[in-house]
Amino acid sequence: IFRFPRPEYQGTPYFTEIRALELLDRCHVAPVPRVLFVGKHTQYIGYAKLSGVTLSDAEAGKLSEEARQRLVPQLAQFMHVLHENVPLSGAQEAGIETYVSYPLDSLSDTLANTFGTNHQVVRLAERAVQEFVQQDSALNIPRVLHWDLHNGNMLVDPHTYDLTGVIDFGSMKIADVHAEFRSLYRFNPTLAQETVAAYQSLINVPLNFRRVQLYAWLVRLSDLARVARRPQSDTYVNALARLNGWAQDEFGAGV
């Protein structure tokens, strides 16, 4: 497989992914791409194709209980190995950055000024910020995260749903471990909740699923705030659609 970064991802993110994959290879975090080729004059990387297929949003959102039971412990184990074997110091040396959200003290106001007529998104932002800042700071557990572990970056056996690989490490971040599950929550909340339960049994530390949910909201709200003046962008359209759905789930259709 040869991957060429989109123009907006050339430069630092491209080199960070190369260094991150080399770090993961040394830490024996598997199954992940192993970089075999790096472009000399054009930015690209090449690696042996991993087995398995990705799932569409529709497929991933409707996993059967049997499929989840196979996938959940494998996802939890992958995260556990990743988080426990990639040191924060090594990640920082590789150029992996700490996630920085949109400033929480101004997030609600920014969205209210731009989306004032969309009361459900503004209300969701207010609730997310209020709940998050009131949570115990001891819940924050910094780890090196894949950060974008959604259905399009997981490879599974199309018949058994066994996890066969994880791809796309270009977005890796240092952040609270709760944030790792937010992408699973984005497409399948039940899968996310079950994976959190399996993961915390491996680390013997209780996690807070509401915090996972808050991260899902806050990261999307931050994305929306940053592109508020670019309504034609994919980030704007996707974030707004997702947030409207979450607000409806949280407050009811009458919001």
Coordinates of all heavy atoms in Angstrom, one line a residue, residues 176-218:
D176 N -6.0 12.5 27.3 CA -6.7 11.7 28.3 C -7.2 10.4 27.6 O -7.8 10.5 26.5 CB -7.9 12.5 28.8 CG -8.7 11.7 29.8 OD1 -8.4 10.6 30.2 OD2 -9.7 12.3 30.2
V177 N -7.0 9.3 28.2 CA -7.3 8.0 27.6 C -8.8 7.9 27.3 O -9.2 7.2 26.4 CB -6.9 6.8 28.6 CG1 -7.8 6.7 29.8 CG2 -6.8 5.5 27.8
H178 N -9.6 8.6 28.0 CA -11.1 8.6 27.7 C -11.4 9.0 26.3 O -12.3 8.6 25.7 CB -11.8 9.5 28.7 CG -11.9 9.0 30.1 ND1 -10.9 9.2 31.0 CD2 -12.9 8.3 30.8 CE1 -11.2 8.6 32.2 NE2 -12.4 8.1 32.1
A179 N -10.5 9.9 25.8 CA -10.8 10.4 24.4 C -10.5 9.4 23.3 O -11.0 9.6 22.2 CB -9.9 11.6 24.2
E180 N -9.8 8.3 23.7 CA -9.6 7.3 22.7 C -10.9 6.6 22.2 O -10.9 6.1 21.1 CB -8.6 6.2 23.2 CG -8.1 5.2 22.2 CD -7.0 5.7 21.3 OE1 -7.4 6.6 20.4 OE2 -5.9 5.3 21.4
F181 N -11.9 6.6 23.1 CA -13.1 5.8 22.8 C -14.1 6.7 22.1 O -15.2 6.2 21.7 CB -13.7 5.3 24.1 CG -12.7 4.4 24.8 CD1 -11.8 4.9 25.8 CD2 -12.7 3.0 24.6 CE1 -10.9 4.1 26.5 CE2 -11.8 2.2 25.3 CZ -10.9 2.7 26.2
R182 N -13.8 8.0 21.9 CA -14.9 8.9 21.4 C -15.2 8.6 20.0 O -16.4 8.7 19.5 CB -14.4 10.3 21.5 CG -13.4 10.7 20.5 CD -12.9 12.1 20.6 NE -12.4 12.5 19.3 CZ -11.4 12.0 18.7 NH1 -10.7 11.0 19.3 NH2 -11.1 12.4 17.5
S183 N -14.2 8.1 19.2 CA -14.5 7.8 17.8 C -15.4 6.5 17.7 O -16.2 6.4 16.8 CB -13.2 7.6 17.0 OG -12.6 8.9 16.8
L184 N -15.2 5.5 18.6 CA -16.1 4.4 18.6 C -17.5 4.8 18.9 O -18.5 4.4 18.3 CB -15.6 3.4 19.6 CG -14.2 2.7 19.4 CD1 -14.0 1.7 20.5 CD2 -14.2 2.0 18.0
Y185 N -17.6 5.7 19.9 CA -18.9 6.2 20.3 C -19.6 6.9 19.1 O -20.8 6.9 19.0 CB -18.7 7.2 21.5 CG -20.0 7.9 21.9 CD1 -21.0 7.3 22.7 CD2 -20.3 9.2 21.4 CE1 -22.1 7.9 23.0 CE2 -21.5 9.8 21.7 CZ -22.4 9.2 22.5 OH -23.6 9.8 22.8
R186 N -18.8 7.6 18.3 CA -19.3 8.4 17.2 C -20.2 7.5 16.2 O -21.2 7.9 15.7 CB -18.2 9.0 16.4 CG -18.6 10.2 15.5 CD -17.4 11.0 15.0 NE -16.6 10.2 14.1 CZ -15.3 10.2 14.1 NH1 -14.6 10.8 15.0 NH2 -14.7 9.6 13.1
F187 N -19.7 6.2 16.0 CA -20.5 5.4 15.1 C -21.2 4.3 15.7 O -22.2 3.7 15.1 CB -19.6 4.9 13.9 CG -18.6 3.9 14.3 CD1 -18.9 2.5 14.4 CD2 -17.2 4.2 14.5 CE1 -18.0 1.6 14.8 CE2 -16.3 3.3 14.9 CZ -16.7 1.9 15.0
N188 N -20.9 3.9 16.9 CA -21.6 2.8 17.6 C -21.4 2.9 19.1 O -20.5 2.4 19.7 CB -21.0 1.5 17.1 CG -21.9 0.3 17.5 OD1 -22.4 0.2 18.6 ND2 -22.1 -0.6 16.6
P189 N -22.3 3.7 19.8 CA -22.2 3.9 21.2 C -22.2 2.6 22.0 O -21.4 2.6 23.0 CB -23.5 4.7 21.5 CG -23.8 5.4 20.2 CD -23.5 4.4 19.2
T190 N -22.9 1.6 21.6 CA -22.9 0.3 22.3 C -21.5 -0.3 22.3 O -21.0 -0.8 23.3 CB -23.9 -0.7 21.8 OG1 -25.2 -0.1 21.9 CG2 -23.9 -2.0 22.6
L191 N -20.9 -0.3 21.1 CA -19.5 -0.8 20.9 C -18.5 -0.1 21.8 O -17.7 -0.7 22.5 CB -19.1 -0.8 19.5 CG -17.6 -1.2 19.2 CD1 -17.5 -2.7 19.4 CD2 -17.3 -0.9 17.7
A192 N -18.7 1.2 21.9 CA -17.8 2.1 22.7 C -18.0 1.7 24.2 O -17.0 1.6 24.9 CB -18.1 3.6 22.5
Q193 N -19.2 1.6 24.6 CA -19.4 1.3 26.0 C -18.9 0.0 26.4 O -18.3 -0.2 27.5 CB -20.9 1.4 26.4 CG -21.2 1.4 27.8 CD -22.6 2.0 28.1 OE1 -23.5 2.1 27.2 NE2 -22.8 2.3 29.4
E194 N -19.1 -1.0 25.6 CA -18.6 -2.4 25.9 C -17.1 -2.4 25.8 O -16.4 -3.1 26.6 CB -19.2 -3.4 24.9 CG -20.7 -3.6 25.1 CD -21.3 -4.4 24.0 OE1 -20.7 -4.7 23.0 OE2 -22.5 -4.8 24.2
T195 N -16.5 -1.6 24.9 CA -15.0 -1.6 24.8 C -14.4 -0.9 26.0 O -13.3 -1.3 26.5 CB -14.5 -0.9 23.5 OG1 -15.1 -1.6 22.4 CG2 -13.0 -1.0 23.4
V196 N -15.0 0.1 26.5 CA -14.6 0.8 27.7 C -14.6 -0.2 28.9 O -13.6 -0.3 29.7 CB -15.5 2.0 28.1 CG1 -15.2 2.5 29.5 CG2 -15.2 3.1 27.1
A197 N -15.6 -1.0 29.0 CA -15.8 -2.0 30.1 C -14.6 -3.0 30.0 O -14.0 -3.4 31.0 CB -17.1 -2.6 30.1
A198 N -14.4 -3.5 28.8 CA -13.3 -4.5 28.6 C -11.9 -3.9 28.9 O -11.1 -4.5 29.5 CB -13.4 -5.0 27.2
Y199 N -11.7 -2.6 28.4 CA -10.4 -2.0 28.6 C -10.1 -1.7 30.1 O -9.0 -2.0 30.6 CB -10.4 -0.7 27.8 CG -9.2 0.1 28.0 CD1 -8.1 0.0 27.1 CD2 -9.0 1.1 29.0 CE1 -7.0 0.7 27.2 CE2 -7.9 1.8 29.1 CZ -6.8 1.6 28.2 OH -5.7 2.4 28.3
Q200 N -11.1 -1.3 30.8 CA -10.8 -0.9 32.2 C -10.6 -2.2 33.1 O -9.9 -2.1 34.1 CB -12.0 -0.1 32.8 CG -13.3 -0.8 32.9 CD -14.4 0.2 33.5 OE1 -14.2 1.4 33.6 NE2 -15.6 -0.3 33.7
S201 N -11.1 -3.3 32.6 CA -10.8 -4.6 33.3 C -9.3 -5.0 33.1 O -8.7 -5.7 33.9 CB -11.7 -5.7 32.8 OG -11.4 -6.1 31.5
L202 N -8.7 -4.5 32.0 CA -7.3 -4.8 31.7 C -6.4 -3.9 32.5 O -5.3 -4.3 32.9 CB -7.0 -4.6 30.2 CG -7.7 -5.6 29.2 CD1 -7.4 -5.2 27.8 CD2 -7.2 -7.0 29.4
I203 N -6.8 -2.7 32.7 CA -5.9 -1.7 33.4 C -6.2 -1.6 34.9 O -5.5 -1.0 35.7 CB -5.9 -0.3 32.8 CG1 -7.3 0.3 32.9 CG2 -5.5 -0.4 31.3 CD1 -7.4 1.7 32.4
N204 N -7.3 -2.3 35.3 CA -7.7 -2.2 36.7 C -7.9 -0.8 37.2 O -7.6 -0.5 38.4 CB -6.7 -3.0 37.6 CG -6.7 -4.5 37.3 OD1 -7.7 -5.1 37.1 ND2 -5.5 -5.0 37.2
V205 N -8.4 0.1 36.4 CA -8.7 1.4 36.7 C -10.1 1.8 36.2 O -10.3 1.6 35.0 CB -7.7 2.4 36.2 CG1 -8.1 3.9 36.5 CG2 -6.3 2.1 36.8
P206 N -11.0 2.2 37.0 CA -12.4 2.5 36.5 C -12.3 3.8 35.6 O -11.7 4.8 35.9 CB -13.2 2.8 37.7 CG -12.2 3.2 38.8 CD -10.9 2.4 38.4
L207 N -13.0 3.7 34.4 CA -13.2 4.8 33.5 C -14.6 5.3 33.7 O -15.5 4.7 34.2 CB -12.9 4.4 32.1 CG -11.5 3.9 31.8 CD1 -11.3 3.7 30.3 CD2 -10.4 4.8 32.3
N208 N -14.8 6.6 33.1 CA -16.1 7.2 33.2 C -16.7 7.4 31.8 O -16.2 8.2 31.0 CB -15.9 8.6 33.9 CG -17.2 9.4 34.1 OD1 -17.9 9.6 33.2 ND2 -17.4 9.8 35.3
F209 N -17.7 6.6 31.5 CA -18.2 6.6 30.2 C -18.9 8.0 29.8 O -18.8 8.4 28.6 CB -19.3 5.5 30.0 CG -19.7 5.4 28.5 CD1 -18.8 4.8 27.6 CD2 -20.9 5.8 28.1 CE1 -19.2 4.7 26.2 CE2 -21.3 5.7 26.8 CZ -20.4 5.1 25.8
R210 N -19.4 8.7 30.8 CA -19.9 10.0 30.4 C -18.8 10.9 30.0 O -19.0 11.7 29.1 CB -20.6 10.6 31.7 CG -21.2 12.0 31.4 CD -22.3 12.0 30.4 NE -23.1 13.2 30.4 CZ -24.1 13.5 29.6 NH1 -24.4 12.6 28.7 NH2 -24.7 14.7 29.6
R211 N -17.6 10.7 30.5 CA -16.5 11.5 30.0 C -16.1 11.2 28.6 O -15.7 12.1 27.8 CB -15.3 11.3 31.0 CG -14.1 12.2 30.8 CD -13.1 12.0 31.8 NE -11.9 12.8 31.7 CZ -11.8 14.0 32.2 NH1 -12.8 14.6 32.9 NH2 -10.6 14.7 32.1
V212 N -16.2 9.9 28.2 CA -16.0 9.5 26.8 C -17.0 10.3 25.9 O -16.7 10.8 24.9 CB -16.2 8.0 26.6 CG1 -16.2 7.6 25.2 CG2 -15.1 7.3 27.4
Q213 N -18.3 10.3 26.4 CA -19.3 11.0 25.6 C -19.0 12.5 25.5 O -19.2 13.1 24.4 CB -20.7 10.7 26.3 CG -21.9 11.2 25.5 CD -23.2 10.8 26.2 OE1 -23.3 11.0 27.4 NE2 -24.2 10.4 25.5
L214 N -18.6 13.1 26.6 CA -18.3 14.5 26.6 C -17.2 14.8 25.6 O -17.2 15.8 24.9 CB -18.0 15.0 28.0 CG -19.1 15.0 29.0 CD1 -18.6 15.3 30.4 CD2 -20.2 15.9 28.6
Y215 N -16.1 13.9 25.6 CA -15.1 14.1 24.6 C -15.6 14.1 23.2 O -15.1 14.9 22.3 CB -14.0 13.1 24.8 CG -12.9 13.5 25.8 CD1 -12.7 12.9 27.0 CD2 -12.0 14.6 25.5 CE1 -11.7 13.3 27.9 CE2 -11.0 15.0 26.3 CZ -10.8 14.3 27.5 OH -9.9 14.8 28.4
A216 N -16.5 13.1 22.9 CA -17.0 13.1 21.6 C -17.7 14.4 21.2 O -17.5 14.9 20.1 CB -18.0 11.9 21.5
W217 N -18.5 14.9 22.1 CA -19.1 16.2 21.9 C -18.1 17.3 21.7 O -18.2 18.1 20.8 CB -20.1 16.5 23.0 CG -21.2 15.6 23.2 CD1 -21.6 14.5 22.4 CD2 -22.2 15.6 24.3 NE1 -22.7 13.9 22.9 CE2 -23.1 14.6 24.1 CE3 -22.4 16.4 25.4 CZ2 -24.1 14.3 24.9 CZ3 -23.4 16.2 26.2 CH2 -24.3 15.1 26.0
L218 N -17.2 17.4 22.7 CA -16.3 18.6 22.7 C -15.4 18.6 21.6 O -15.1 19.7 21.0 CB -15.5 18.6 24.0 CG -16.4 19.0 25.3 CD1 -15.6 18.7 26.6 CD2 -16.8 20.4 25.2

